[in-house]
Amino acid sequence: MQDNRKWVIIGLFTLIGVIFLVRLFMIQVMSDDFKRKAEAISVKTIVDYPHRGIILDRNGKELVVNAPVYDLMVIPKQVAFTDTLAFCKLIGIELEDFRKTWNKVCAYAMEKPSIFLNQISRDELHRFQDQLIAYPGFYINSRTVRHYPHHNVAHALGYIGEVSASALERDSTGYYRAGDYVGISGVEAAYEKELRGQKGVRHIWVDNWGREKGAFKEGAFDTVAVAGKNLVSSLDLELQKFAEELMVNKKGAVVAIEPSTGEILAMVSAPTYDPNLLTGKEASRNFGKLLLNENKPLFNRAVRAAYPPGSTFKTVQALIGMQENVINAQTVFACNKALVKCHYHPTTDLQHSIQHSCNPYYYQVFRRIVYQNKLTQRDSTFEAAKDQENYREGFTIWKRYLDGFNLGRKTNVDLVSEVSASIPSLSLYDNRYGEGNWKFSNIYSLGIGQGEVLTTPLQLANMAATLANRGYFYTPHLVKSIGEEKSIHPEYTKKHKVPVDAKHFDLIVAGMRDAYRAGTVWSQAVNPDLEICGKTGTAQNPHGEDHSVFIAFAPKDNPKIAIAVYVENAGFGGSWAAPVAALAIEKYLKRETSKRFEWLKSHVINKRFILEPAPEPILSDSSSVPQKEEKPQPSPKKADTARIVLKEEKNLERSEK
Amino acid sequence: MKNKTHHTIGEGADSIAILIYFVLVIVGWVSIFASVYDPSQPWFSFSLNYTKQLIWIGTSIVIIILILSFDYRNYETFAYASYALMIFLLLVVMFVGREINGARSWLDFGPIRLQPSEFAKFITALALAKFLVSPEAKPELLRTKVIAGLILLLPVLMILLQNDTGSALVFGTFVVVLYRERVLPEWLLFAGLLMSILFILGLGMKPQSIFYFLVIPILIIAVLVILYIKEKKPLVILAVLGLSVLLIGYIYSTKYIFESFLAPHQQERILVLLNEDIDPQGRGTRYNLFHSKVAIGSGGLWGKGFLNGTQTKLNYVPAQSTDFIFCTIGEEHGWLGSLLVIGLYLSLMIRLLFLAERQRDKFVRIYGYSVASIIFFHFAINISMTIGLFPVVGIPLPFLSYGGSSLWSFTILLFIFLKLDAHRGQQMERK
């Protein structure tokens, strides 16, 4: 009996021991759950953000740098206020705002740091840094933001911002986390991988109070942050600035390319904005303003606007005609204004048709191309005209040439937002009119770069470069070297030949030389020293006054720069686009504006095609001299800056109403 | 040879028990060292727990020598007197005691703090043993049961008044002793066990499950019992039915009993065991249990190695050198380390039961059972709470946890028994 009870007790003791061992086996050996939980609790992962690569212009001037900004941090629990009002005065905020922020950070976490005031400038910081020590719980944390020392090149460089939710979803590599900064447009986006570098990760032990206690597993899982690569842009900051200045208060685009390399020297989309507006604490507010501005300053017209090329297109038409052997240097057409209207000039041969931009001439050229009126021994237009219903084949051949010139197709410039614009295809007309139901009369305006032909300013600049090179081009690009190793994407060193023989170019180039010297270009914009070869265009469009277009390169032999200029709703190509191009070419070739062009320069700068004030101004640059706005009329007064005092501009607007 | 007087201190004391005692004390000290050691701090300082524990161990050895040197008869002789003194000290501490962690159970003597409730255990055990060996205390008499109950309840009541629930609970372990000595009938023990299990199930299960898995089985059993018994007297049938209705009523009232008899923080401690999802990262009641389980669970089979514990070293585990010392063992030495420690405790307890059973003197046997039960209770509750099998109750792990009062009281508890056992040849038979 006694023994029985003894064994019950021994059994009870042993049972409990066995239960413990089984339970311990379950949580210690059979499951990894607690191992993972332990690491989740005591190992903190710290991401080290590398330095984002900076961007220099082709001459080594800084386009984008990283500037330090300072955040005022607070750990609410450590704060002991004596005089709230004095604190507000010190850091320069209103008591009301202080209360709001204070309540917000307290609601977030009492023991953890929160940002109390973000992106304090260095000057502001210097003002109160020393006195901050009197306020426990507050401290300064520094980080960097993108900064543009020059206030230019907004569109080509683009901007960075917090990665969007949709971009996070698309990121298959899992590199980004919410809150990371990522290039959103321009070079910043196109070269995101190169610029961002590689984030580093450190795993460290943290104790129960959040204090760091050394590396997890001696840093076995840590990676070192790799700094982003610096880029050297092909842009010439001086030229870019100058071109932006010329385009102030205008809508349009300027793209300049070095023909021998395809390097983009300048890319202006007007109106532009100060890229610094999209960094720093006002970024999202400024972005909203820019987005709502009716002149669409965020829209990069250089690569996203599809304009009719207008008469600049005639250069390519002439080349195609010669290559297809439907015209030659001697081909003469009467300036028959019954076909298509024209300006007053003598009857022309091919070279002079470029010089005078004869519309009826190119009506005929295009007609011959599509109808395949091949030249025989003796010019037999009449005979060839018999089989004129075979335009489908001719049209297809014509389009293939334009593909060769990369018109109506993406150039694959290193910008993510480029559009292709368009050159119409047979199917477009088949769909519109029904197969067999459309004739040359439906498409003749393509011959003079109107109608359904649409190209971007970049494509036209590339066309100008092709003309300059007499038959080839390099894909235009904004970055000429990446990182220390000075590499470049291989596609940008590949020579693209157009399907027109080099021998045909000389005639067109000569025509362009004449067009500039003694053709359609306004005489004020002519400087014979520059050896500019150009072609004007006056692009009809549904948005109002014609766009003023000009393509050019210079000098004639061994060209250094090719350029395309669009000034929206400004009328004749010769009167606004050509002066802009001529001034820019001179600036690039001579590095200064000649006496002869001084007047032209201020005339162009002071011309406004946008009547209301340009988007939020660019006035943070202290070096700029505020310039009194001139009435939009030719004036020889000196005007060497595009910076305009907004206030005066507003006054002007009021007085105009 | 038998009549030769003892000259050597501790001669005849059980060497196996003494060996296990020292192994446990050393394991305890090493674990305290591991949980406190911080490489960035000087390793020696009198303010560190492992240095202080060395002092407690040293003084414990002195106590052992003293206990072994005293005449073994004194322990029985002065049992009642010590009991009276203990009650007096428990009264004193209620008025002049120092409050730590909500319990006013500490007496402050300058650098040393003592917890009288720690010493109440062995003194009560001695008093109970002395009472039960008295000729008039026949186990089957109601009077015996009542007086034995009073001897136990008096210190429990005073300790409860000091708000030291953990120490008071320990006295529940005397049920084992009373069971062994036949003061408590067998059925009462099983009834108590059944009631406890039903209480936990009633609290933890959803009403629907209670109906299907408890109420219906009870009714089926009742019907089977009625069918089984031969004499189907109406009174018996009524009794069986009445009992099952009472049981069902009890199950459904557990929630009410729970909520009305336990303080909110006690309710919470129990509820976190039943519901895994309560606030894992929070700083609430769940916190201690969660971090303790994570520390032990992350130890794996072999453990993270001596001084390589993370959850313990980074202070996620609370009270890690005292009540949660087992976390350090589980984390740094894994399941095998735990096996060793649990094996040591089982060996010690079963050895003590064996020693108790070989006594001719009932007094020593009763005291021996008390010692084994008290150690068992601490062992069972302490480890249960660290691995989430029992609500968090602040009681130390015998011989391992840091603390002078605790180590001293367990040392005294154990070595008085070993002293008594050493003299079993000289003792008269009392049954």
Side-chain angles (χ1 to χ4, degrees):
Chain A
M1 283 297 278
Q2 290 285 34
D3 276 350
N4 183 26
R5 293 203 169 196
K6 177 181 103 180
W7 289 115
V8 168
I9 294 167
I10 290 179
L12 172 72
F13 287 10
T14 317
L15 177 72
I16 295 290
V18 169
I19 288 174
F20 286 173
L21 289 173
V22 170
R23 167 81 171 180
L24 284 165
F25 196 80
M26 277 160 57
I27 66 170
Q28 290 185 304
V29 183
M30 297 194 17
S31 139
D32 274 343
D33 195 29
F34 288 103
K35 283 198 191 69
R36 271 185 311 228
K37 277 185 183 152
E39 282 180 11
I41 293 164
S42 58
V43 180
K44 191 164 87 173
T45 306
I46 294 180
V47 177
D48 290 329
Y49 286 91
H51 196 76
R52 194 174 172 89
I54 65 164
I55 306 175
L56 304 174
D57 92 331
R58 64 192 293 114
N59 302 315
K61 289 186 186 141
E62 288 170 341
L63 294 179
V64 190
V65 293
N66 297 309
V69 289
Y70 306 91
D71 294 330
L72 180 63
M73 308 295 290
V74 64
I75 300 172
K77 206 168 186 181
Q78 299 175 3
V79 172
F81 272 119
T82 43
D83 188 349
T84 316
L85 204 61
F87 178 77
C88 291
K89 253 187 207 150
L90 179 68
I91 64 169
I93 57 168
E94 297 293 317
L95 195 60
E96 186 66 18
D97 295 329
F98 171 85
R99 290 226 173 86
K100 255 189 226 158
T101 321
W102 177 252
N103 291 337
K104 215 165 68 184
V105 296
C106 287
Y108 169 66
M110 290 302 286
E111 294 95 352
K112 287 184 188 160
S114 309
I115 295 179
F116 193 79
L117 195 64
N118 69 1
Q119 305 205 11
I120 302 160
S121 73
R122 194 189 292 252
D123 294 342
E124 280 178 278
L125 180 68
H126 282 319
R127 198 163 43 75
F128 64 75
Q129 193 174 22
D130 293 342
Q131 294 167 62
L132 204 60
I133 203 151
Y135 300 93
F138 286 94
Y139 64 95
I140 295 292
N141 191 24
S142 78
R143 56 198 176 90
T144 64
V145 293
R146 288 305 234 186
H147 176 68
Y148 307 83
H150 48 77
H151 311 276
N152 300 95
V153 221
H155 297 98
L157 294 176
Y159 59 97
I160 63 169
E162 276 189 33
V163 62
S164 67
S166 58
L168 270 180
E169 238 165 68
R170 272 181 276 123
D171 174 29
S172 57
T173 58
Y175 181 85
Y176 296 101
R177 292 176 187 206
D180 281 3
Y181 274 76
V182 63
I184 291 175
S185 77
V187 170
E188 293 274 20
Y191 291 88
E192 166 67 14
K193 276 213 173 72
E194 287 82 0
L195 287 168
R196 77 181 183 199
Q198 187 70 38
K199 280 189 282 194
V201 180
R202 280 184 296 140
H203 302 273
I204 49 165
W205 295 112
V206 282
D207 73 6
N208 197 16
W209 298 283
R211 294 179 304 203
E212 300 182 2
K213 288 284 183 176
F216 171 67
K217 305 222 164 136
E218 273 79 47
F221 302 105
D222 297 0
T223 53
V224 181
V226 180
K229 291 174 178 170
N230 296 341
L231 303 181
V232 177
S233 169
S234 59
L235 291 169
D236 183 322
L237 181 58
E238 218 176 305
L239 176 65
Q240 173 80 25
K241 266 185 165 171
F242 185 72
E244 285 185 22
E245 202 178 331
L246 294 174
M247 290 298 286
V248 78
N249 290 326
K250 300 165 190 71
K251 287 190 273 186
V254 177
V255 179
I257 295 177
E258 184 177 72
S260 59
T261 56
E263 291 171 6
I264 296 173
L265 301 170
M267 178 180 277
V268 179
S269 173
T272 185
Y273 59 93
D274 182 346
N276 288 307
L277 291 174
L278 296 186
T279 68
K281 63 177 155 187
E282 299 293 322
S284 56
R285 211 167 59 99
N286 291 335
F287 186 83
K289 274 191 193 168
L290 291 171
L291 196 66
L292 294 176
N293 187 302
E294 64 174 303
N295 294 314
K296 299 188 176 165
L298 288 172
F299 181 66
N300 186 356
R301 289 171 164 81
V303 293
R304 290 180 63 75
Y307 297 114
S311 297
T312 62
F313 201 56
K314 290 171 182 164
T315 53
V316 178
Q317 292 287 55
L319 288 167
I320 298 171
M322 284 194 280
Q323 184 71 23
E324 278 295 295
N325 198 26
V326 297
I327 54 167
N328 61 23
Q330 285 74 46
T331 305
V332 174
F333 295 113
C335 183
N336 179 358
K337 295 188 185 62
L339 296 172
V340 48
K341 63 179 183 178
C342 198
H343 14 261
Y344 294 97
H345 61 81
T347 295
T348 61
D349 60 5
L350 184 50
Q351 184 178 333
H352 291 94
S353 74
I354 295 285
Q355 181 184 1
H356 298 295
S357 195
C358 178
N359 286 339
Y361 193 98
Y362 285 92
Y363 176 95
Q364 299 288 7
V365 171
F366 186 50
R367 187 184 172 87
R368 284 200 179 184
I369 294 169
V370 291
Y371 286 119
Q372 289 289 292
N373 300 33
K374 301 278 188 195
L375 292 177
T376 49
Q377 234 70 15
R378 52 192 184 88
D379 189 347
S380 57
T381 312
F382 181 73
E383 263 174 50
K386 275 188 217 154
D387 53 354
Q388 57 177 241
E389 292 314 309
N390 282 337
Y391 59 80
R392 296 184 73 84
E393 190 199 342
F395 188 90
T396 310
I397 290 169
W398 172 77
K399 183 166 163 53
R400 205 178 302 141
Y401 277 103
L402 296 177
D403 287 349
F405 277 89
N406 217 66
L407 293 168
R409 300 206 304 179
K410 286 189 181 180
T411 62
N412 291 324
V413 67
D414 38 9
L415 290 176
V416 286
S417 58
E418 189 192 13
V419 299
S420 60
S422 68
I423 301 292
S425 58
L426 281 175
S427 58
L428 179 92
Y429 298 106
D430 287 345
N431 289 337
R432 188 181 295 171
Y433 303 108
E435 207 176 319
N437 289 341
W438 55 278
K439 303 195 276 281
F440 185 72
S441 59
N442 297 110
I443 61 165
Y444 75 93
S445 56
L446 301 182
I448 54 170
Q450 292 291 153
E452 291 81 6
V453 193
L454 293 171
T455 56
T456 63
L458 176 66
Q459 288 167 6
L460 283 198
N462 190 45
M463 183 175 92
T466 311
L467 290 164
N469 289 335
R470 278 72 162 172
Y472 64 87
F473 64 90
Y474 291 96
T475 302
H477 51 278
L478 282 158
V479 169
K480 59 184 280 181
S481 110
I482 302 167
E484 294 286 306
E485 64 274 19
K486 303 204 186 308
S487 64
I488 182 169
H489 286 308
E491 71 230 54
Y492 295 137
T493 56
K494 219 172 95 192
K495 197 182 209 173
H496 300 275
K497 281 193 69 71
V498 295
V500 174
D501 297 340
K503 62 180 180 197
H504 297 310
F505 280 86
D506 286 337
L507 193 75
I508 305 304
V509 168
M512 289 171 75
R513 179 201 56 203
D514 299 341
Y516 175 71
R517 279 204 312 214
T520 48
V521 174
W522 183 30
S523 59
Q524 288 291 347
V526 176
N527 180 351
D529 300 346
L530 298 173
E531 291 187 70
I532 293 176
C533 305
K535 179 72 196 82
T536 56
T538 305
Q540 291 170 18
N541 65 85
H543 306 295
E545 188 71 27
D546 294 346
H547 297 328
S548 175
V549 197
F550 192 65
I551 62 163
F553 62 84
K556 177 166 168 277
D557 299 311
N558 202 7
K560 293 276 180 280
I561 179 170
I563 195 166
V565 177
Y566 267 88
V567 185
E568 287 183 25
N569 311 121
F572 284 119
S575 16
W576 291 107
V580 168
L583 284 163
I585 287 171
E586 185 187 56
K587 181 75 178 178
Y588 183 68
L589 295 179
K590 311 282 189 206
R591 308 310 290 181
E592 60 179 10
T593 302
S594 60
K595 280 235 165 61
R596 173 201 286 271
F597 270 177
E598 278 297 342
W599 177 85
L600 182 71
K601 181 180 154 189
S602 58
H603 169 68
V604 170
I605 289 172
N606 292 332
K607 178 66 187 176
R608 357 171 92 249
F609 287 104
I610 297 175
L611 288 177
E612 78 277 20
E616 281 293 301
I618 306 175
L619 285 181
S620 39
D621 187 356
S622 54
S623 68
S624 68
V625 183
Q627 177 67 38
K628 204 166 184 177
E629 170 64 11
E630 304 285 344
K631 278 283 169 190
Q633 63 197 16
S635 156
K637 273 184 190 167
K638 85 168 187 340
D640 53 7
T641 172
R643 311 268 185 254
I644 292 153
V645 176
L646 187 65
K647 219 192 280 173
E648 288 182 343
E649 221 171 284
K650 278 182 179 150
N651 292 339
L652 177 81
E653 202 194 351
R654 241 173 265 133
S655 66
E656 276 177 354
K657 276 177 186 168
Chain B
M1 284 309 212
K2 256 195 167 176
N3 293 331
K4 199 181 173 188
T5 47
H6 293 283
H7 289 296
T8 330
I9 289 169
E11 187 170 329
D14 187 63
S15 52
I16 296 177
I18 293 174
L19 181 73
I20 297 175
Y21 165 83
F22 277 107
V23 173
L24 283 172
V25 166
I26 290 165
V27 166
W29 186 81
V30 168
S31 304
I32 292 165
F33 181 83
S35 65
V36 174
Y37 177 70
D38 182 346
S40 63
Q41 302 291 320
W43 71 274
F44 185 85
S45 156
F46 277 108
S47 64
L48 290 172
N49 277 0
Y50 59 80
T51 330
K52 286 198 268 182
Q53 184 74 356
L54 267 184
I55 297 168
W56 301 130
I57 293 170
T59 47
S60 293
I61 292 169
V62 174
I63 289 170
I64 289 168
I65 293 167
L66 287 176
I67 288 170
L68 295 179
S69 323
F70 280 157
D71 189 327
Y72 69 95
R73 282 166 292 228
N74 287 339
Y75 299 113
E76 187 177 348
T77 312
F78 293 110
Y80 286 157
S82 325
Y83 186 79
L85 180 69
M86 171 198 83
I87 296 295
F88 172 71
L89 277 179
L90 286 175
L91 267 175
V92 168
V93 85
M94 276 198 278
F95 296 105
V96 302
R98 199 184 148 104
E99 197 169 307
I100 288 176
N101 295 332
R104 185 183 281 279
S105 60
W106 295 82
L107 279 179
D108 229 331
F109 301 104
I112 297 166
R113 287 201 300 247
L114 283 180
Q115 203 176 3
S117 55
E118 281 292 338
F119 301 97
K121 294 169 206 164
F122 83 89
I123 292 172
T124 308
L126 285 173
L128 181 71
K130 180 162 183 172
F131 168 70
L132 287 178
V133 291
S134 60
E136 68 273 17
K138 300 231 163 33
E140 58 279 4
L141 291 178
L142 183 67
R143 180 176 165 275
T144 312
K145 299 180 207 285
V146 170
I147 292 178
L150 283 177
I151 291 176
L152 296 176
L153 277 180
L154 192 60
V156 167
L157 215 77
M158 305 189 73
I159 294 171
L160 275 178
L161 284 175
Q162 295 167 12
N163 210 6
D164 187 0
T165 325
S167 299
L169 271 178
V170 175
F171 287 81
T173 197
F174 283 106
V175 169
V176 175
V177 181
L178 295 178
Y179 167 75
R180 168 65 184 79
E181 296 306 324
R182 309 181 144 266
V183 178
L184 287 180
E186 208 141 25
W187 66 264
L188 195 67
L189 210 65
F190 290 109
L193 201 67
L194 181 71
M195 295 294 267
S196 315
I197 292 172
L198 287 180
F199 189 85
I200 292 167
L201 291 178
L203 204 59
M205 284 164 80
K206 292 190 178 93
Q208 212 179 359
S209 323
I210 290 179
F211 183 76
Y212 287 117
F213 296 108
L214 294 180
V215 174
I216 289 180
I218 286 172
L219 290 176
I220 290 171
I221 290 168
V223 170
L224 286 176
V225 167
I226 290 167
L227 290 177
Y228 181 73
I229 47 175
K230 282 171 189 148
E231 295 171 76
K232 291 189 171 52
K233 285 180 192 166
L235 204 66
V236 175
I237 295 171
L238 209 67
V240 170
L241 284 178
L243 198 67
S244 45
V245 168
L246 269 179
L247 271 180
I248 292 166
Y250 169 73
I251 291 165
Y252 278 113
S253 54
T254 48
K255 213 151 250 164
Y256 173 76
I257 297 169
F258 180 72
E259 279 164 13
S260 47
F261 285 90
L262 290 176
H265 75 275
Q266 290 166 329
Q267 293 178 27
E268 238 179 67
R269 284 181 184 187
I270 294 168
L271 288 175
V272 292
L273 292 177
L274 302 172
N275 183 358
E276 291 267 320
D277 302 325
I278 298 175
D279 178 32
Q281 297 281 26
R283 301 263 151 172
T285 310
R286 178 120 183 98
Y287 176 82
N288 292 350
L289 172 64
F290 174 74
H291 283 293
S292 161
K293 262 164 82 180
V294 167
I296 295 171
S298 63
L301 181 63
W302 296 94
K304 297 177 184 173
F306 180 54
L307 296 183
N308 288 337
T310 57
Q311 307 311 101
T312 45
K313 291 212 81 60
L314 297 173
N315 288 305
Y316 290 99
V317 178
Q320 47 182 300
S321 58
T322 56
D323 294 347
F324 285 88
I325 190 71
F326 190 70
C327 293
T328 303
I329 294 163
E331 190 182 19
E332 296 195 345
H333 304 290
W335 188 76
L336 293 175
S338 310
L339 174 70
L340 175 79
V341 168
I342 290 169
L344 283 170
Y345 275 112
L346 283 182
S347 315
L348 179 66
M349 293 182 305
I350 291 168
R351 178 71 189 164
L352 290 178
L353 290 184
F354 170 78
L355 295 183
E357 286 293 339
R358 75 179 180 183
Q359 302 304 319
R360 284 191 295 175
D361 188 348
K362 191 180 169 187
F363 173 80
V364 184
R365 186 182 72 211
I366 293 171
Y367 182 71
Y369 262 89
S370 302
V371 174
S373 313
I374 290 170
I375 291 174
F376 168 72
F377 189 85
H378 280 83
F379 160 78
I381 299 298
N382 182 285
I383 295 184
S384 298
M385 85 179 179
T386 60
I387 58 181
L389 294 175
F390 198 80
V392 172
V393 175
I395 60 171
L397 195 54
F399 314 120
L400 263 68
S401 286
Y402 165 79
S405 292
S406 154
L407 183 62
W408 282 4
S409 79
F410 283 113
T411 304
I412 295 169
L413 182 76
L414 176 66
F415 278 88
I416 286 177
F417 175 60
L418 295 182
K419 172 71 178 173
L420 292 170
D421 173 63
H423 293 277
R424 66 187 176 282
Q426 299 150 288
Q427 283 156 351
M428 307 256 282
E429 185 165 346
R430 280 191 289 188
K431 285 216 167 163

